[in-house]
PDB file of all heavy atoms in Angstrom:
ATOM      1  N   GLN A 245     174.559-114.962 116.605  1.00  0.00           N
ATOM      2  CA  GLN A 245     174.410-114.864 117.991  1.00  0.00           C
ATOM      3  C   GLN A 245     174.709-116.272 118.640  1.00  0.00           C
ATOM      4  O   GLN A 245     175.326-116.385 119.621  1.00  0.00           O
ATOM      5  CB  GLN A 245     173.041-114.383 118.335  1.00  0.00           C
ATOM      6  CG  GLN A 245     172.807-112.881 118.107  1.00  0.00           C
ATOM      7  CD  GLN A 245     171.419-112.505 118.359  1.00  0.00           C
ATOM      8  OE1 GLN A 245     170.550-113.319 118.791  1.00  0.00           O
ATOM      9  NE2 GLN A 245     171.132-111.126 118.247  1.00  0.00           N
ATOM     10  N   ILE A 246     174.242-117.322 117.881  1.00  0.00           N
ATOM     11  CA  ILE A 246     174.437-118.650 118.428  1.00  0.00           C
ATOM     12  C   ILE A 246     175.934-118.939 118.283  1.00  0.00           C
ATOM     13  O   ILE A 246     176.460-119.587 119.221  1.00  0.00           O
ATOM     14  CB  ILE A 246     173.598-119.681 117.638  1.00  0.00           C
ATOM     15  CG1 ILE A 246     172.137-119.471 117.936  1.00  0.00           C
ATOM     16  CG2 ILE A 246     174.023-121.082 117.890  1.00  0.00           C
ATOM     17  CD1 ILE A 246     171.196-120.331 117.051  1.00  0.00           C
ATOM     18  N   GLN A 247     176.531-118.590 117.193  1.00  0.00           N
ATOM     19  CA  GLN A 247     178.023-118.839 117.009  1.00  0.00           C
ATOM     20  C   GLN A 247     178.764-118.084 118.147  1.00  0.00           C
ATOM     21  O   GLN A 247     179.674-118.651 118.749  1.00  0.00           O
ATOM     22  CB  GLN A 247     178.433-118.342 115.671  1.00  0.00           C
ATOM     23  CG  GLN A 247     178.202-119.411 114.465  1.00  0.00           C
ATOM     24  CD  GLN A 247     178.912-119.017 113.304  1.00  0.00           C
ATOM     25  OE1 GLN A 247     178.996-117.829 112.924  1.00  0.00           O
ATOM     26  NE2 GLN A 247     179.491-119.968 112.552  1.00  0.00           N
ATOM     27  N   GLN A 248     178.408-116.785 118.336  1.00  0.00           N
ATOM     28  CA  GLN A 248     179.093-116.035 119.382  1.00  0.00           C
ATOM     29  C   GLN A 248     178.850-116.664 120.702  1.00  0.00           C
ATOM     30  O   GLN A 248     179.767-116.691 121.601  1.00  0.00           O
ATOM     31  CB  GLN A 248     178.558-114.568 119.266  1.00  0.00           C
ATOM     32  CG  GLN A 248     179.381-113.649 120.308  1.00  0.00           C
ATOM     33  CD  GLN A 248     180.772-113.561 119.932  1.00  0.00           C
ATOM     34  OE1 GLN A 248     181.190-113.488 118.741  1.00  0.00           O
ATOM     35  NE2 GLN A 248     181.654-113.605 120.909  1.00  0.00           N
ATOM     36  N   PHE A 249     177.597-117.052 121.000  1.00  0.00           N
ATOM     37  CA  PHE A 249     177.225-117.611 122.239  1.00  0.00           C
ATOM     38  C   PHE A 249     178.032-118.912 122.545  1.00  0.00           C
ATOM     39  O   PHE A 249     178.552-119.189 123.662  1.00  0.00           O
ATOM     40  CB  PHE A 249     175.764-117.868 122.270  1.00  0.00           C
ATOM     41  CG  PHE A 249     175.207-118.344 123.553  1.00  0.00           C
ATOM     42  CD1 PHE A 249     175.254-117.507 124.678  1.00  0.00           C
ATOM     43  CD2 PHE A 249     174.624-119.659 123.692  1.00  0.00           C
ATOM     44  CE1 PHE A 249     174.771-118.034 125.962  1.00  0.00           C
ATOM     45  CE2 PHE A 249     174.146-120.061 124.891  1.00  0.00           C
ATOM     46  CZ  PHE A 249     174.241-119.205 126.017  1.00  0.00           C
ATOM     47  N   THR A 250     178.127-119.700 121.509  1.00  0.00           N
ATOM     48  CA  THR A 250     178.920-120.968 121.613  1.00  0.00           C
ATOM     49  C   THR A 250     180.389-120.672 121.827  1.00  0.00           C
ATOM     50  O   THR A 250     181.006-121.306 122.736  1.00  0.00           O
ATOM     51  CB  THR A 250     178.778-121.834 120.321  1.00  0.00           C
ATOM     52  OG1 THR A 250     177.397-122.051 120.067  1.00  0.00           O
ATOM     53  CG2 THR A 250     179.475-123.093 120.466  1.00  0.00           C
ATOM     54  N   ALA A 251     180.952-119.678 121.190  1.00  0.00           N
ATOM     55  CA  ALA A 251     182.331-119.325 121.386  1.00  0.00           C
ATOM     56  C   ALA A 251     182.526-118.787 122.806  1.00  0.00           C
ATOM     57  O   ALA A 251     183.548-119.080 123.462  1.00  0.00           O
ATOM     58  CB  ALA A 251     182.806-118.321 120.301  1.00  0.00           C
ATOM     59  N   ASP A 252     181.585-118.002 123.246  1.00  0.00           N
ATOM     60  CA  ASP A 252     181.702-117.388 124.641  1.00  0.00           C
ATOM     61  C   ASP A 252     181.654-118.514 125.639  1.00  0.00           C
ATOM     62  O   ASP A 252     182.389-118.517 126.649  1.00  0.00           O
ATOM     63  CB  ASP A 252     180.573-116.383 124.773  1.00  0.00           C
ATOM     64  CG  ASP A 252     180.869-115.103 123.938  1.00  0.00           C
ATOM     65  OD1 ASP A 252     181.988-114.851 123.620  1.00  0.00           O
ATOM     66  OD2 ASP A 252     179.854-114.422 123.718  1.00  0.00           O
ATOM     67  N   ILE A 253     180.682-119.474 125.501  1.00  0.00           N
ATOM     68  CA  ILE A 253     180.622-120.543 126.436  1.00  0.00           C
ATOM     69  C   ILE A 253     181.897-121.359 126.455  1.00  0.00           C
ATOM     70  O   ILE A 253     182.442-121.659 127.562  1.00  0.00           O
ATOM     71  CB  ILE A 253     179.451-121.476 126.091  1.00  0.00           C
ATOM     72  CG1 ILE A 253     178.143-120.774 126.294  1.00  0.00           C
ATOM     73  CG2 ILE A 253     179.436-122.754 126.863  1.00  0.00           C
ATOM     74  CD1 ILE A 253     176.930-121.532 125.902  1.00  0.00           C
ATOM     75  N   ALA A 254     182.439-121.651 125.295  1.00  0.00           N
ATOM     76  CA  ALA A 254     183.714-122.440 125.281  1.00  0.00           C
ATOM     77  C   ALA A 254     184.839-121.670 125.914  1.00  0.00           C
ATOM     78  O   ALA A 254     185.611-122.234 126.648  1.00  0.00           O
ATOM     79  CB  ALA A 254     184.079-122.709 123.745  1.00  0.00           C
ATOM     80  N   HIS A 255     184.813-120.367 125.704  1.00  0.00           N
ATOM     81  CA  HIS A 255     185.863-119.492 126.388  1.00  0.00           C
ATOM     82  C   HIS A 255     185.725-119.497 127.861  1.00  0.00           C
ATOM     83  O   HIS A 255     186.664-119.653 128.616  1.00  0.00           O
ATOM     84  CB  HIS A 255     185.798-118.103 125.759  1.00  0.00           C
ATOM     85  CG  HIS A 255     186.876-117.199 126.303  1.00  0.00           C
ATOM     86  ND1 HIS A 255     188.157-117.311 125.979  1.00  0.00           N
ATOM     87  CD2 HIS A 255     186.758-116.145 127.240  1.00  0.00           C
ATOM     88  CE1 HIS A 255     188.906-116.404 126.622  1.00  0.00           C
ATOM     89  NE2 HIS A 255     188.040-115.728 127.416  1.00  0.00           N
ATOM     90  N   GLU A 256     184.468-119.345 128.332  1.00  0.00           N
ATOM     91  CA  GLU A 256     184.205-119.324 129.765  1.00  0.00           C
ATOM     92  C   GLU A 256     184.481-120.677 130.421  1.00  0.00           C
ATOM     93  O   GLU A 256     185.019-120.722 131.529  1.00  0.00           O
ATOM     94  CB  GLU A 256     182.785-118.877 130.043  1.00  0.00           C
ATOM     95  CG  GLU A 256     182.449-117.476 129.647  1.00  0.00           C
ATOM     96  CD  GLU A 256     183.195-116.498 130.460  1.00  0.00           C
ATOM     97  OE1 GLU A 256     183.538-116.792 131.616  1.00  0.00           O
ATOM     98  OE2 GLU A 256     183.451-115.353 129.944  1.00  0.00           O
ATOM     99  N   LEU A 257     184.207-121.706 129.777  1.00  0.00           N
ATOM    100  CA  LEU A 257     184.403-123.042 130.294  1.00  0.00           C
ATOM    101  C   LEU A 257     185.955-123.445 130.226  1.00  0.00           C
ATOM    102  O   LEU A 257     186.344-124.146 131.040  1.00  0.00           O
ATOM    103  CB  LEU A 257     183.611-124.101 129.590  1.00  0.00           C
ATOM    104  CG  LEU A 257     182.080-124.068 129.703  1.00  0.00           C
ATOM    105  CD1 LEU A 257     181.415-125.087 128.873  1.00  0.00           C
ATOM    106  CD2 LEU A 257     181.668-124.136 131.166  1.00  0.00           C
ATOM    107  N   ARG A 258     186.665-122.857 129.316  1.00  0.00           N
ATOM    108  CA  ARG A 258     188.063-123.224 129.133  1.00  0.00           C
ATOM    109  C   ARG A 258     188.849-122.763 130.365  1.00  0.00           C
ATOM    110  O   ARG A 258     189.820-123.431 130.716  1.00  0.00           O
ATOM    111  CB  ARG A 258     188.583-122.625 127.821  1.00  0.00           C
ATOM    112  CG  ARG A 258     190.000-123.027 127.535  1.00  0.00           C
ATOM    113  CD  ARG A 258     190.447-122.388 126.208  1.00  0.00           C
ATOM    114  NE  ARG A 258     190.379-120.973 126.304  1.00  0.00           N
ATOM    115  CZ  ARG A 258     190.625-120.161 125.209  1.00  0.00           C
ATOM    116  NH1 ARG A 258     190.965-120.704 124.062  1.00  0.00           N
ATOM    117  NH2 ARG A 258     190.542-118.872 125.324  1.00  0.00           N
ATOM    118  N   THR A 259     188.534-121.574 130.832  1.00  0.00           N
ATOM    119  CA  THR A 259     189.337-120.936 131.888  1.00  0.00           C
ATOM    120  C   THR A 259     189.353-121.814 133.214  1.00  0.00           C
ATOM    121  O   THR A 259     190.404-122.203 133.680  1.00  0.00           O
ATOM    122  CB  THR A 259     188.904-119.553 132.210  1.00  0.00           C
ATOM    123  OG1 THR A 259     188.938-118.725 131.027  1.00  0.00           O
ATOM    124  CG2 THR A 259     189.710-118.896 133.302  1.00  0.00           C
ATOM    125  N   PRO A 260     188.188-122.150 133.733  1.00  0.00           N
ATOM    126  CA  PRO A 260     188.195-122.994 134.916  1.00  0.00           C
ATOM    127  C   PRO A 260     188.700-124.419 134.670  1.00  0.00           C
ATOM    128  O   PRO A 260     189.451-124.999 135.488  1.00  0.00           O
ATOM    129  CB  PRO A 260     186.740-123.013 135.425  1.00  0.00           C
ATOM    130  CG  PRO A 260     185.944-122.621 134.221  1.00  0.00           C
ATOM    131  CD  PRO A 260     186.813-121.688 133.390  1.00  0.00           C
ATOM    132  N   ILE A 261     188.401-124.993 133.518  1.00  0.00           N
ATOM    133  CA  ILE A 261     188.882-126.343 133.208  1.00  0.00           C
ATOM    134  C   ILE A 261     190.355-126.328 133.060  1.00  0.00           C
ATOM    135  O   ILE A 261     191.036-127.217 133.562  1.00  0.00           O
ATOM    136  CB  ILE A 261     188.141-126.867 131.864  1.00  0.00           C
ATOM    137  CG1 ILE A 261     186.671-127.107 132.208  1.00  0.00           C
ATOM    138  CG2 ILE A 261     188.855-128.119 131.377  1.00  0.00           C
ATOM    139  CD1 ILE A 261     185.960-127.493 130.953  1.00  0.00           C
ATOM    140  N   THR A 262     190.948-125.315 132.434  1.00  0.00           N
ATOM    141  CA  THR A 262     192.415-125.173 132.346  1.00  0.00           C
ATOM    142  C   THR A 262     193.033-125.059 133.669  1.00  0.00           C
ATOM    143  O   THR A 262     194.123-125.688 133.982  1.00  0.00           O
ATOM    144  CB  THR A 262     192.782-124.053 131.417  1.00  0.00           C
ATOM    145  OG1 THR A 262     192.171-124.175 130.162  1.00  0.00           O
ATOM    146  CG2 THR A 262     194.332-123.951 131.299  1.00  0.00           C
ATOM    147  N   ALA A 263     192.379-124.229 134.511  1.00  0.00           N
ATOM    148  CA  ALA A 263     192.933-124.061 135.918  1.00  0.00           C
ATOM    149  C   ALA A 263     192.900-125.379 136.703  1.00  0.00           C
ATOM    150  O   ALA A 263     193.838-125.731 137.422  1.00  0.00           O
ATOM    151  CB  ALA A 263     192.146-122.965 136.600  1.00  0.00           C
ATOM    152  N   ILE A 264     191.812-126.058 136.520  1.00  0.00           N
ATOM    153  CA  ILE A 264     191.679-127.392 137.218  1.00  0.00           C
ATOM    154  C   ILE A 264     192.685-128.364 136.729  1.00  0.00           C
ATOM    155  O   ILE A 264     193.374-129.096 137.511  1.00  0.00           O
ATOM    156  CB  ILE A 264     190.301-127.942 137.080  1.00  0.00           C
ATOM    157  CG1 ILE A 264     189.225-127.046 137.847  1.00  0.00           C
ATOM    158  CG2 ILE A 264     190.214-129.376 137.521  1.00  0.00           C
ATOM    159  CD1 ILE A 264     187.774-127.480 137.538  1.00  0.00           C
ATOM    160  N   GLN A 265     192.925-128.403 135.404  1.00  0.00           N
ATOM    161  CA  GLN A 265     193.847-129.329 134.823  1.00  0.00           C
ATOM    162  C   GLN A 265     195.275-128.983 135.286  1.00  0.00           C
ATOM    163  O   GLN A 265     196.091-129.888 135.719  1.00  0.00           O
ATOM    164  CB  GLN A 265     193.770-129.180 133.282  1.00  0.00           C
ATOM    165  CG  GLN A 265     194.693-130.150 132.583  1.00  0.00           C
ATOM    166  CD  GLN A 265     194.351-131.610 132.676  1.00  0.00           C
ATOM    167  OE1 GLN A 265     193.194-131.934 132.948  1.00  0.00           O
ATOM    168  NE2 GLN A 265     195.299-132.545 132.545  1.00  0.00           N
ATOM    169  N   ALA A 266     195.632-127.661 135.307  1.00  0.00           N
ATOM    170  CA  ALA A 266     196.950-127.271 135.721  1.00  0.00           C
ATOM    171  C   ALA A 266     197.233-127.590 137.132  1.00  0.00           C
ATOM    172  O   ALA A 266     198.304-128.122 137.580  1.00  0.00           O
ATOM    173  CB  ALA A 266     197.176-125.823 135.452  1.00  0.00           C
ATOM    174  N   THR A 267     196.178-127.339 137.975  1.00  0.00           N
ATOM    175  CA  THR A 267     196.299-127.662 139.467  1.00  0.00           C
ATOM    176  C   THR A 267     196.524-129.172 139.729  1.00  0.00           C
ATOM    177  O   THR A 267     197.380-129.474 140.528  1.00  0.00           O
ATOM    178  CB  THR A 267     195.024-127.129 140.205  1.00  0.00           C
ATOM    179  OG1 THR A 267     194.894-125.748 140.014  1.00  0.00           O
ATOM    180  CG2 THR A 267     195.203-127.376 141.692  1.00  0.00           C
ATOM    181  N   LEU A 268     195.747-129.929 139.013  1.00  0.00           N
ATOM    182  CA  LEU A 268     195.837-131.392 139.192  1.00  0.00           C
ATOM    183  C   LEU A 268     197.211-131.893 138.784  1.00  0.00           C
ATOM    184  O   LEU A 268     197.807-132.731 139.421  1.00  0.00           O
ATOM    185  CB  LEU A 268     194.739-132.081 138.409  1.00  0.00           C
ATOM    186  CG  LEU A 268     193.274-131.957 139.028  1.00  0.00           C
ATOM    187  CD1 LEU A 268     192.293-132.569 138.019  1.00  0.00           C
ATOM    188  CD2 LEU A 268     193.200-132.596 140.379  1.00  0.00           C
ATOM    189  N   GLU A 269     197.681-131.389 137.601  1.00  0.00           N
ATOM    190  CA  GLU A 269     198.998-131.838 137.128  1.00  0.00           C
ATOM    191  C   GLU A 269     200.065-131.441 138.077  1.00  0.00           C
ATOM    192  O   GLU A 269     201.036-132.238 138.379  1.00  0.00           O
ATOM    193  CB  GLU A 269     199.256-131.280 135.779  1.00  0.00           C
ATOM    194  CG  GLU A 269     198.360-131.898 134.686  1.00  0.00           C
ATOM    195  CD  GLU A 269     198.601-131.294 133.300  1.00  0.00           C
ATOM    196  OE1 GLU A 269     199.498-130.293 133.284  1.00  0.00           O
ATOM    197  OE2 GLU A 269     198.003-131.765 132.280  1.00  0.00           O
ATOM    198  N   THR A 270     199.987-130.275 138.651  1.00  0.00           N
ATOM    199  CA  THR A 270     201.051-129.734 139.557  1.00  0.00           C
ATOM    200  C   THR A 270     201.034-130.637 140.843  1.00  0.00           C
ATOM    201  O   THR A 270     202.084-131.000 141.380  1.00  0.00           O
ATOM    202  CB  THR A 270     200.807-128.322 139.962  1.00  0.00           C
ATOM    203  OG1 THR A 270     200.801-127.510 138.716  1.00  0.00           O
ATOM    204  CG2 THR A 270     201.890-127.823 140.880  1.00  0.00           C
ATOM    205  N   THR A 271     199.823-130.937 141.318  1.00  0.00           N
ATOM    206  CA  THR A 271     199.734-131.670 142.592  1.00  0.00           C
ATOM    207  C   THR A 271     200.233-133.185 142.376  1.00  0.00           C
ATOM    208  O   THR A 271     200.861-133.736 143.166  1.00  0.00           O
ATOM    209  CB  THR A 271     198.219-131.697 143.018  1.00  0.00           C
ATOM    210  OG1 THR A 271     197.781-130.400 143.220  1.00  0.00           O
ATOM    211  CG2 THR A 271     198.147-132.433 144.332  1.00  0.00           C
ATOM    212  N   LEU A 272     199.824-133.758 141.161  1.00  0.00           N
ATOM    213  CA  LEU A 272     200.227-135.108 140.925  1.00  0.00           C
ATOM    214  C   LEU A 272     201.734-135.234 140.786  1.00  0.00           C
ATOM    215  O   LEU A 272     202.372-136.278 141.064  1.00  0.00           O
ATOM    216  CB  LEU A 272     199.532-135.622 139.672  1.00  0.00           C
ATOM    217  CG  LEU A 272     198.001-135.873 139.843  1.00  0.00           C
ATOM    218  CD1 LEU A 272     197.411-136.255 138.524  1.00  0.00           C
ATOM    219  CD2 LEU A 272     197.774-136.965 140.838  1.00  0.00           C
ATOM    220  N   ASN A 273     202.403-134.201 140.214  1.00  0.00           N
ATOM    221  CA  ASN A 273     203.824-134.252 139.996  1.00  0.00           C
ATOM    222  C   ASN A 273     204.624-133.938 141.312  1.00  0.00           C
ATOM    223  O   ASN A 273     205.774-134.117 141.321  1.00  0.00           O
ATOM    224  CB  ASN A 273     204.262-133.323 138.890  1.00  0.00           C
ATOM    225  CG  ASN A 273     203.647-133.773 137.549  1.00  0.00           C
ATOM    226  OD1 ASN A 273     203.506-134.963 137.313  1.00  0.00           O
ATOM    227  ND2 ASN A 273     203.392-132.755 136.673  1.00  0.00           N
ATOM    228  N   ALA A 274     204.002-133.361 142.279  1.00  0.00           N
ATOM    229  CA  ALA A 274     204.701-132.998 143.474  1.00  0.00           C
ATOM    230  C   ALA A 274     204.573-134.113 144.534  1.00  0.00           C
ATOM    231  O   ALA A 274     203.770-135.049 144.444  1.00  0.00           O
ATOM    232  CB  ALA A 274     204.097-131.735 144.033  1.00  0.00           C
ATOM    233  N   GLU A 275     205.470-133.972 145.513  1.00  0.00           N
ATOM    234  CA  GLU A 275     205.375-134.919 146.707  1.00  0.00           C
ATOM    235  C   GLU A 275     204.091-134.695 147.501  1.00  0.00           C
ATOM    236  O   GLU A 275     203.707-133.593 147.655  1.00  0.00           O
ATOM    237  CB  GLU A 275     206.608-134.787 147.561  1.00  0.00           C
ATOM    238  CG  GLU A 275     207.975-135.090 146.956  1.00  0.00           C
ATOM    239  CD  GLU A 275     208.037-136.571 146.636  1.00  0.00           C
ATOM    240  OE1 GLU A 275     207.378-137.381 147.313  1.00  0.00           O
ATOM    241  OE2 GLU A 275     208.759-136.908 145.625  1.00  0.00           O
ATOM    242  N   PRO A 276     203.486-135.749 148.027  1.00  0.00           N
ATOM    243  CA  PRO A 276     202.287-135.668 148.770  1.00  0.00           C
ATOM    244  C   PRO A 276     202.575-134.746 150.068  1.00  0.00           C
ATOM    245  O   PRO A 276     203.555-134.949 150.748  1.00  0.00           O
ATOM    246  CB  PRO A 276     201.941-137.111 149.195  1.00  0.00           C
ATOM    247  CG  PRO A 276     202.646-137.937 148.204  1.00  0.00           C
ATOM    248  CD  PRO A 276     203.924-137.198 147.849  1.00  0.00           C
ATOM    249  N   ASN A 277     201.705-133.782 150.193  1.00  0.00           N
ATOM    250  CA  ASN A 277     201.821-132.858 151.357  1.00  0.00           C
ATOM    251  C   ASN A 277     200.373-132.495 151.732  1.00  0.00           C
ATOM    252  O   ASN A 277     199.611-132.039 150.948  1.00  0.00           O
ATOM    253  CB  ASN A 277     202.623-131.631 150.969  1.00  0.00           C
ATOM    254  CG  ASN A 277     202.828-130.724 152.092  1.00  0.00           C
ATOM    255  OD1 ASN A 277     201.918-130.101 152.583  1.00  0.00           O
ATOM    256  ND2 ASN A 277     204.058-130.592 152.549  1.00  0.00           N
ATOM    257  N   ALA A 278     200.071-132.599 152.971  1.00  0.00           N
ATOM    258  CA  ALA A 278     198.715-132.325 153.488  1.00  0.00           C
ATOM    259  C   ALA A 278     198.280-130.872 153.175  1.00  0.00           C
ATOM    260  O   ALA A 278     197.161-130.587 152.760  1.00  0.00           O
ATOM    261  CB  ALA A 278     198.619-132.608 154.981  1.00  0.00           C
ATOM    262  N   GLU A 279     199.191-129.913 153.494  1.00  0.00           N
ATOM    263  CA  GLU A 279     198.846-128.489 153.253  1.00  0.00           C
ATOM    264  C   GLU A 279     198.620-128.187 151.788  1.00  0.00           C
ATOM    265  O   GLU A 279     197.696-127.519 151.453  1.00  0.00           O
ATOM    266  CB  GLU A 279     200.030-127.646 153.808  1.00  0.00           C
ATOM    267  CG  GLU A 279     199.746-126.211 153.714  1.00  0.00           C
ATOM    268  CD  GLU A 279     200.881-125.404 154.392  1.00  0.00           C
ATOM    269  OE1 GLU A 279     201.712-125.891 155.000  1.00  0.00           O
ATOM    270  OE2 GLU A 279     200.728-124.102 154.243  1.00  0.00           O
TER     271      GLU A 279
END
Side-chain angles (χ1 to χ4, degrees):
Q245 290 175 355
I246 292 173
Q247 279 191 321
Q248 184 63 41
F249 186 61
T250 305
D252 291 337
I253 291 177
H255 182 73
E256 292 296 331
L257 293 177
R258 183 179 61 185
T259 301
I261 292 176
T262 302
I264 292 173
Q265 181 69 21
T267 302
L268 289 174
E269 289 179 356
T270 302
T271 303
L272 290 174
N273 292 331
E275 295 293 332
N277 183 293
E279 184 177 350

